[in-house]
Amino acid sequence: MKSLLSNCRYKSLRNCLFLGLLILLAAACSPKEETPATLARQGWVSDYADKLKPGDKTRISAALEAYEKETCHQIFLLIIPALGGENIAEFSQRTASAWDIGQPGFGNGFLVTIALQEGSVRIETGSAFEWFIQNGTADTILKEVMFPLFREDRFVEGLERGLAEIMIAGRLKPISENHKPDVCRQNK
């Protein structure tokens, strides 16, 4: 009888462990909702909120690509529907790092992140770009150029003017030819 009882407990424990393993496997294999932490770069403009018309996206992408060819600096735009409770600064920093903004090992890039639901915008600078955008310049671009146009429901114009101001700030401090990454010297 004692042997039969321990055999039943063993089978019950084994069945419980097996069931638990199945539940864990099912959870690992089930599709996960795409969150801001998992977004991939879609090119110069990553519009996960479908806010831009195709022509606007193409025009902005072409301007950002031309800017890189001219200056060696990179600017990427990310538009998301919402942050899901996350702080925009942390999200933007993590995304810029994951996307490796700027030339490899050089950090000469910007990421402009817009979270529509929260009405948040952040201009994230690469490590080598912190000296391109002086203290307060990013804040000025947001407050005096982009936000007023966004409030007037002129979103695309606000984007384009804000990006143009970032480009101007970057052009004020060009990288000398002997300090440019090799990939940029090959573009000339």
Side-chain angles (χ1 to χ4, degrees):
M1 180 75 165
K2 189 173 186 181
S3 172
L4 182 61
L5 185 58
S6 62
N7 190 25
C8 288
R9 286 184 185 158
Y10 171 74
K11 285 182 182 178
S12 178
L13 179 61
R14 186 179 61 184
N15 288 341
C16 286
L17 289 173
F18 182 72
L19 182 60
L21 180 62
L22 284 177
I23 291 170
L24 286 173
L25 287 173
C29 294
S30 65
K32 294 186 177 171
E33 188 177 314
E34 191 164 49
T35 64
T38 62
L39 298 178
R41 188 169 74 197
Q42 299 173 335
W44 300 102
V45 177
S46 299
D47 182 9
Y48 281 92
D50 291 324
K51 181 75 172 167
L52 300 175
K53 294 178 183 171
D56 296 330
K57 187 174 180 179
T58 299
R59 187 177 61 255
I60 293 169
S61 294
L64 298 177
E65 183 177 11
Y67 179 72
E68 181 184 8
K69 287 179 181 173
E70 173 197 337
T71 65
C72 187
H73 309 318
Q74 292 181 339
I75 301 174
F76 293 98
L77 174 62
L78 172 61
I79 304 169
I80 59 172
L83 288 164
E86 187 171 359
N87 176 291
I88 192 164
E90 292 169 6
F91 169 70
S92 189
Q93 289 167 357
R94 187 178 63 252
T95 302
S97 178
W99 287 6
D100 199 20
I101 300 297
Q103 302 302 332
F106 202 74
N108 63 326
F110 294 107
L111 173 63
V112 178
T113 305
I114 300 173
L116 296 176
Q117 183 177 339
E118 292 82 0
S120 297
V121 182
R122 176 146 174 109
I123 300 173
E124 195 65 47
T125 60
S127 58
F129 238 174
E130 290 170 353
W131 61 277
F132 281 94
I133 295 291
Q134 303 290 316
N135 289 338
T137 303
D139 196 42
T140 300
I141 291 170
L142 292 173
K143 289 180 178 177
E144 295 180 11
V145 178
M146 297 176 84
F147 291 159
L149 291 168
F150 290 170
R151 280 188 217 102
E152 293 175 10
D153 201 26
R154 296 161 55 193
F155 184 76
V156 174
E157 186 179 351
L159 277 180
E160 290 179 321
R161 286 192 183 180
L163 292 169
E165 290 295 321
I166 294 169
M167 290 179 202
I168 289 168
R171 285 185 185 108
L172 292 176
K173 303 212 179 187
I175 301 173
S176 63
E177 195 62 35
N178 62 338
H179 284 95
K180 283 186 179 179
D182 289 339
V183 68
C184 296
R185 290 187 210 158
Q186 296 168 1
N187 287 340
K188 296 286 180 184

